[in-house]
Amino acid sequence: MVFKCQEDSFLRKFTSKVIKCEPTNEPLVEYGKTSQFEGYQVTLENTILFPAGGGQPHDIGRLNNTEVVQVLRKGDEALHFTKEPIEVGTVVEQEINWDRRFDHMQQHSGQHLLSAILEKEHNLPTTSWWLGLEESYVELDSTKVSEEVIKATENRCNQLIQEAIPVNVKFCKANDPDLNEAHTRGLPKDCMETIRIICIGNVDENMCCGTHVTNLSQLQTIKLTGIEPGKKGKTNLKFLVGNRVLRTFQLMLDREKALTGLLKNEPTRHEDLVQKLQKNLKIANKNLQTVLQELAQFEIERIKSSIPKPKYVIMFKKEATPEFNRAVIKGLEGEGLFLFFASEEPDKPKEGQIIIQGPEEHCNALGTKITELLKGKGAFKNGKFQGKAGDLSGMNKCKKLIEDYFNSQ
Ligand SMILES: [Zn+2]
């Protein structure tokens, strides 16, 4: 059976009668993502809602007021997935989500054009293709696809779009001699006895069950956006057609505008400015390390030369790195001091690293209480605790605890 959507791909409304309605729990597949479904599958005398096939995703729309969330083809039937049942015999008005459908038509006809040029002019046959939610690609039977080929293909496709080449659908029977001329790419395995051939002027002829534009000018433009390694021996060439080019361009403009605001300079300077920022950050980090090392030495000397000699040291500097803390602790080893050091995680200010070490009696008396207050994760090993703090907001309570403990000694 040839569905109404295949006879006239521009029909947006159509009236037909329900001939079957059965419960189903077959999952929904939306651009490759599967989700569970429980509802009904409705069959009509004919349909303008395209059932997924030939690489083109299914349409969505309405049957009267009932939403259609998926359409699948089973043999000669198109099954419309709905949440509610519709009584057999009901005459329904079908309505299609046209934005989604026209987008699929632009990508699908664009793919036929792209595959034809790649094969005819660059000897790069398409082995499969993918129409995604944001990006689509043709899978090419080669690992070598040069920048020159991509540029030349894009130019040629856009030239043919400018020439507004007509796109026609030919129908023929399975034993028709015309069939030999057409490629079999994209033809569903259990295809109906009537074969559809999509002809782009004298550029391409291809068997296909999908819905297509009637003129290449309806594609507006095609943009090849890059290659990615595909399956073994293959390359995926990514592309955008028509409204997707405009949509992507708008997103890029918005991003560029945001960057211009942040970098306070025009887009042509962005790359330069980011490179400079990265370089400066590297230098600043290096300088910070040097200063922290000097500060660590200074702290060690200050503590060692304090009179009277302290019994404990609490150190929680916001700018301190774990390296700084370890350096100070190393410098104070053998002084018999109780040490409690903490530092913040740079991107999670509530969390951090803690080190507790010193004479065993003090560690035993204070260690567990401190780690509890800071939601510490880790364990005492050889009289030393080193681990993560889950919540540094308990720091003041820890300081008070340590002060009170040593004051009562
Ligand atoms: Zn096709």
Side-chain angles (χ1 to χ4, degrees):
M1 175 177 175
V2 175
F3 299 118
K4 200 73 195 166
C5 54
Q6 294 170 316
E7 276 173 30
D8 182 355
S9 298
F10 281 81
L11 215 53
R12 300 189 200 187
K13 278 186 182 178
F14 182 66
T15 306
S16 188
K17 199 192 273 180
V18 174
I19 55 171
K20 220 195 285 181
C21 178
E22 289 169 342
T24 182
N25 58 6
E26 196 166 323
L28 301 182
V29 182
E30 188 71 2
Y31 299 111
K33 271 195 189 151
T34 305
S35 61
Q36 286 198 339
F37 177 78
E38 235 169 276
Y40 298 86
Q41 50 187 46
V42 180
T43 310
L44 300 128
E45 280 178 343
N46 208 337
T47 188
I48 55 162
L49 293 165
F50 177 73
Q56 184 178 329
H58 63 84
D59 283 340
I60 53 174
R62 284 175 181 284
L63 303 175
N64 286 345
N65 286 321
T66 307
E67 218 177 313
V68 177
V69 291
Q70 170 168 268
V71 191
L72 296 181
R73 190 177 63 79
K74 292 277 160 74
D76 259 5
E77 284 183 8
L79 309 175
H80 301 68
F81 285 61
T82 60
K83 286 264 171 65
E84 300 101 42
I86 307 178
E87 209 179 313
V88 172
T90 313
V91 174
V92 293
E93 182 165 62
Q94 301 177 5
E95 201 184 328
I96 192 169
N97 178 325
W98 181 249
D99 285 350
R100 174 181 162 114
R101 155 66 86 72
F102 187 64
D103 170 57
H104 292 166
M105 280 160 61
Q106 284 190 320
Q107 310 316 308
H108 197 165
S109 300
Q111 177 265 318
H112 278 222
L113 174 63
L114 180 58
S115 291
I117 300 304
L118 283 163
E119 183 164 353
K120 280 189 168 173
E121 299 185 6
H122 303 285
N123 197 25
L124 287 168
T126 295
T127 41
S128 78
W129 79 291
W130 169 253
L131 199 172
L133 178 61
E134 269 150 22
E135 213 165 31
S136 307
Y137 65 81
V138 286
E139 181 194 72
L140 303 175
D141 197 14
S142 170
T143 51
K144 291 185 188 73
V145 182
S146 69
E147 276 300 317
E148 294 77 55
V149 164
I150 294 172
K151 200 74 229 154
T153 304
E154 186 182 288
N155 286 340
R156 181 83 178 114
C157 288
N158 282 311
Q159 187 195 345
L160 292 164
I161 291 170
Q162 276 174 37
E163 286 173 20
I165 310 280
V167 181
N168 295 305
V169 183
K170 267 199 311 204
F171 291 96
C172 56
K173 295 287 168 201
N175 54 2
D176 197 306
D178 268 5
L179 217 51
N180 301 330
E181 294 171 24
H183 288 253
T184 53
R185 191 169 74 222
L187 190 74
K189 285 190 178 65
D190 60 339
C191 201
M192 318 88 167
E193 56 185 69
T194 308
I195 309 280
R196 284 170 89 235
I197 300 171
I198 312 300
C199 313
I200 305 177
N202 54 15
V203 179
D204 186 45
E205 287 200 356
N206 231 305
M207 280 199 261
C208 179
C209 62
T211 59
H212 288 271
V213 297
T214 51
N215 189 299
L216 285 191
S217 67
Q218 289 152 356
L219 301 185
Q220 296 161 284
T221 183
I222 187 162
K223 183 73 201 158
L224 304 183
T225 54
I227 49 171
E228 271 174 5
K231 291 177 195 153
K232 200 170 182 283
K234 315 268 187 186
T235 302
N236 297 338
L237 172 59
K238 300 185 284 178
F239 68 92
L240 300 167
V241 186
N243 289 332
R244 287 195 184 201
V245 177
L246 295 177
R247 200 170 72 200
T248 306
F249 186 55
Q250 187 59 53
L251 283 173
M252 290 168 86
L253 279 179
D254 292 345
R255 275 201 294 267
E256 191 179 85
K257 201 172 160 192
L259 269 180
T260 302
L262 285 170
L263 295 168
K264 298 187 171 54
N265 215 319
E266 59 192 83
T268 51
R269 300 264 295 121
H270 285 178
E271 199 179 338
D272 253 12
L273 288 169
V274 171
Q275 266 171 2
K276 234 176 235 168
L277 278 175
Q278 284 175 329
K279 208 173 139 195
N280 287 346
L281 182 66
K282 221 170 162 182
I283 295 168
N285 271 333
K286 221 174 146 194
N287 289 344
L288 179 64
Q289 291 312 314
T290 311
V291 172
L292 280 175
Q293 271 172 25
E294 283 172 18
L295 184 63
Q297 276 312 309
F298 172 82
E299 290 289 356
I300 294 163
E301 295 308 321
R302 182 181 65 78
I303 294 161
K304 276 188 179 174
S305 58
S306 295
I307 299 168
K309 197 182 162 191
K311 289 177 186 162
Y312 65 92
V313 178
I314 302 170
M315 201 169 286
F316 178 40
K317 287 188 190 294
K318 285 210 185 297
E319 66 280 8
T321 58
E323 292 81 39
F324 168 84
N325 282 347
R326 278 198 293 273
V328 179
I329 287 168
K330 197 158 188 292
L332 294 175
E333 258 166 19
E335 296 289 315
L337 300 170
F338 176 80
L339 306 173
F340 170 48
F341 283 49
S343 58
E344 278 182 4
E345 291 286 344
D347 45 353
K348 294 180 207 150
K350 260 184 80 176
E351 294 175 29
Q353 301 278 335
I354 45 175
I355 304 174
I356 305 165
Q357 79 178 68
E360 207 183 329
E361 49 162 326
H362 303 323
C363 286
N364 286 344
L366 294 165
T368 317
K369 285 180 191 160
I370 293 173
T371 54
E372 271 173 16
L373 280 169
L374 300 179
K375 298 194 177 120
K377 270 187 207 132
F380 272 92
K381 219 176 187 180
N382 307 325
K384 186 175 167 183
F385 178 93
Q386 198 169 331
K388 275 193 185 314
D391 185 4
L392 286 172
S393 58
M395 272 308 285
N396 283 338
K397 282 186 187 157
C398 290
K399 279 182 196 168
K400 179 104 179 30
L401 175 83
I402 296 164
E403 278 163 19
D404 290 350
Y405 170 79
F406 282 102
N407 286 339
S408 66
Q409 287 272 297

